[in-house]
C-alpha cells in the first residue's frame, strides 16, 4: 500500500516545481475595460440622463459617461448648437460653483464623481452674452460661468485627459464635458521601465496636423527627460472597440517649432506599446480630442 505521506509530498513538490510564483496573473485582468453600449441601450440611458437633468443639453458618450462623443449627434459640432441661451446676468459665481459640484455628484453614475472633496477647481471663466440683443441699447453681460476641474487622481496617479468642464447659466447647469472613472486595476510592477519606452521612441517621427498645418518632429532619445511618475491612460482600443484604462509613462517631447509647445507620448508599462500622443498644452474647447490627434509613424 503506498505511503500517503509520500503522495502528498510528491504532489506538493510537483506543484512547487510548476512556475506558480512566476505565473502572470495580472495579465488576465489587465487592463480594466469599458465596453461601448449598443445604440439602443445608449439612447435609453441618455434619455434617463436627460430626464434627470432637463436643462442639460450635452449628451453621454458611447460608454454611457459625460465625456465628449459625437455618437448621439453625428455630423454636428455640438449637441448644444441650437440651444437658446438664458439671458440672465450672473454676478455670484461662488454659488454657481457649489451647484456645479452638486450636479456632478448627483449624476455620479454618469460623471464618475462620488466625492465632492476630490474635485479641485483649476479654472473659472465668465462667458458673456447679450441681455438686450437688438435695438440701439444692445447690452452684453456675463450670462454663463465655466468651471474646469482638475484631472482625476487614483492612488496618487494622474488620469490623463480626465478634467471635467461644467457650464452654468441662470437656470442651472446646462453642459457637462468630461468624466472620471471607477478605480481600475493597476499592476504594481512594470514590465517596461520609462527608459525602455524612450528607447522605443528614438528616431520615430510625429506627424501632427493642427489648423490645417502639418508639423513633423523626429524624436531623439537624448533630448528627452526620463519620467519618474506613472499615469493612467484611458485608451480607446480600435481592435476591440473598448475603452481600456491602462497604466504607463508620460514622456514629454518638447518642441519650440509648434505653437502648443510639443507633445506628450504615453507608453504602456505592461506591454510597452505606444498608446497615444497628445499636445503638451491643450485648450478646453469642448470638442473631441480625436479631431486633432496625430499620425504616429516609425522611420
Amino acid at each position: 500500500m503506498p505511503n500517503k505521506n509520500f503522495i502528498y509530498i510528491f504532489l506538493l513538490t510537483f506543484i512547487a516545481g510548476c512556475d506558480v510564483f512566476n505565473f502572470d496573473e495580472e495579465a488576465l485582468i489587465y487592463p480594466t475595460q469599458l465596453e461601448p453600449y449598443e445604440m439602443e441601450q445608449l439612447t435609453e440611458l441618455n434619455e434617463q440622463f436627460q430626464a434627470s437633468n432637463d436643462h442639460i443639453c450635452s449628451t453621454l458618450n458611447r460608454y454611457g459617461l459625460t465625456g465628449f462623443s459625437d455618437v448621439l449627434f453625428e455630423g454636428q459640432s455640438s449637441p448644444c448648437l441650437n440651444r437658446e441661451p438664458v439671458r440672465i446676468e450672473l454676478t455670484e459665481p461662488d454659488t454657481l460653483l457649489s451647484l456645479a459640484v452638486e450636479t456632478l455628484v448627483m449624476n455620479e453614475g454618469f460623471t464618475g464623481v462620488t466625492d465632492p472633496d476630490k474635485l479641485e477647481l483649476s479654472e473659472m471663466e465668465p462667458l458673456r452674452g447679450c441681455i438686450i440683443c437688438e435695438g440701439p441699447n444692445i447690452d452684453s453681460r456675463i450670462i454663463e460661468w465655466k468651471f474646469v476641474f482638475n484631472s482625476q487622481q487614483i492612488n496618487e496617479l494622474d488620469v490623463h485627459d480626465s478634467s471635467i468642464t461644467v457650464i452654468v447659466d441662470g437656470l442651472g447647469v446646462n453642459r457637462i464635458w468630461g468624466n472620471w472613472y471607477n478605480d481600475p486595476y493597476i499592476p504594481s510592477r512594470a514590465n517596461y521601465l520609462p527608459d525602455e519606452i524612450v528607447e522605443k521612441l528614438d528616431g520615430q517621427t510625429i506627424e501632427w496636423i493642427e489648423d490645417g498645418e502639418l508639423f513633423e518632429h523626429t524624436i531623439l532619445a537624448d533630448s528627452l527627460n526620463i519620467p519618474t511618475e506613472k499615469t493612467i491612460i484611458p485608451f480607446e482600443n480600435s481592435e476591440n472597440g473598448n475603452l481600456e484604462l491602462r497604466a504607463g509613462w508620460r514622456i514629454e517631447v518638447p518642441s519650440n517649432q509648434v505653437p502648443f509647445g510639443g507633445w506628450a507620448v504615453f507608453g504602456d508599462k505592461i506591454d510597452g506599446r505606444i498608446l497615444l500622443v497628445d499636445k503638451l498644452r491643450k485648450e478646453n474647447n469642448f470638442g473631441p480630442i480625436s479631431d486633432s490627434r496625430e499620425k504616429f509613424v516609425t522611420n
Side-chain angles (χ1 to χ4, degrees):
M1 181 175 179
N3 188 315
K4 290 185 179 180
N5 290 334
F6 173 79
I7 294 175
Y8 294 152
I9 293 172
F10 172 78
L11 288 173
L12 289 172
T13 304
F14 175 77
I15 293 172
C18 295
D19 200 13
V20 293
F21 296 107
N22 294 325
F23 179 71
D24 191 7
E25 184 180 351
E26 292 173 342
L28 298 178
I29 55 179
Y30 176 85
T32 299
Q33 302 194 34
L34 283 72
E35 295 184 5
Y37 284 92
E38 297 292 337
M39 182 57 73
E40 183 178 351
Q41 295 174 303
L42 181 58
T43 300
E44 182 179 341
L45 194 64
N46 189 65
E47 288 174 352
Q48 295 175 19
F49 173 65
Q50 299 289 345
S52 300
N53 303 275
D54 57 3
H55 189 56
I56 293 180
C57 56
S58 56
T59 63
L60 302 180
N61 64 19
R62 66 186 73 248
Y63 307 103
L65 300 169
T66 49
F68 189 96
S69 170
D70 61 0
V71 66
L72 290 176
F73 52 98
E74 187 176 358
Q76 300 179 42
S77 60
S78 167
C80 302
L81 189 63
N82 299 319
R83 168 185 167 273
E84 181 63 30
V86 177
R87 304 189 186 283
I88 300 174
E89 182 181 8
L90 302 176
T91 58
E92 298 181 2
D94 290 344
T95 302
L96 302 177
L97 174 59
S98 299
L99 178 60
V101 170
E102 179 184 328
T103 302
L104 289 176
V105 176
M106 182 185 71
N107 288 279
E108 63 179 76
F110 303 108
T111 65
V113 178
T114 58
D115 185 351
D117 293 335
K118 291 185 177 180
L119 286 167
E120 295 182 357
L121 186 68
S122 65
E123 181 183 343
M124 183 172 68
E125 179 185 351
L127 304 177
R128 301 183 72 88
C130 59
I131 300 294
I132 302 174
C133 303
E134 297 180 356
N137 300 315
I138 292 177
D139 189 8
S140 177
R141 302 291 179 91
I142 298 171
I143 62 172
E144 291 181 322
W145 282 85
K146 178 179 79 170
F147 301 101
V148 182
F149 297 94
N150 283 331
S151 294
Q152 182 182 15
Q153 298 282 321
I154 297 178
N155 296 330
E156 300 183 351
L157 300 181
D158 183 70
V159 181
H160 173 66
D161 205 28
S162 62
S163 65
I164 299 178
T165 296
V166 181
I167 309 293
V168 186
D169 60 29
L171 297 182
V173 172
N174 63 55
R175 280 165 283 180
I176 300 174
W177 305 122
N179 63 270
W180 286 2
Y181 303 93
N182 292 330
D183 289 356
Y185 170 69
I186 302 300
S188 56
R189 69 171 184 266
N191 293 338
Y192 286 82
L193 297 176
D195 57 334
E196 295 176 293
I197 301 296
V198 167
E199 186 177 342
K200 279 174 169 275
L201 296 175
D202 189 34
Q204 296 197 50
T205 299
I206 297 174
E207 293 182 355
W208 187 281
I209 297 177
E210 184 80 9
D211 295 329
E213 184 176 358
L214 173 64
F215 298 97
E216 294 184 310
H217 180 86
T218 299
I219 301 174
L220 300 177
D222 292 343
S223 67
L224 305 179
N225 293 324
I226 305 297
T228 57
E229 296 183 359
K230 295 183 288 293
T231 188
I232 298 172
I233 307 103
F235 172 66
E236 291 197 67
N237 192 331
S238 59
E239 297 175 2
N240 58 24
N242 292 346
L243 181 68
E244 300 176 343
L245 299 175
R246 292 177 169 268
W249 308 101
R250 181 183 186 274
I251 298 165
E252 294 191 357
V253 183
S255 171
N256 57 13
Q257 303 300 312
V258 295
F260 43 86
W263 297 269
V265 181
F266 297 84
D268 192 293
K269 76 168 192 172
I270 299 301
D271 61 18
R273 77 169 71 181
I274 304 303
L275 297 172
L276 58 89
V277 181
D278 210 344
K279 294 189 292 187
L280 274 184
R281 294 197 301 266
K282 297 171 59 178
E283 295 180 359
N284 193 327
N285 61 359
F286 317 130
I289 300 167
S290 58
D291 281 355
S292 61
R293 189 139 286 168
E294 85 305 334
K295 180 181 178 183
F296 192 78
V297 296
T298 304
N299 282 343

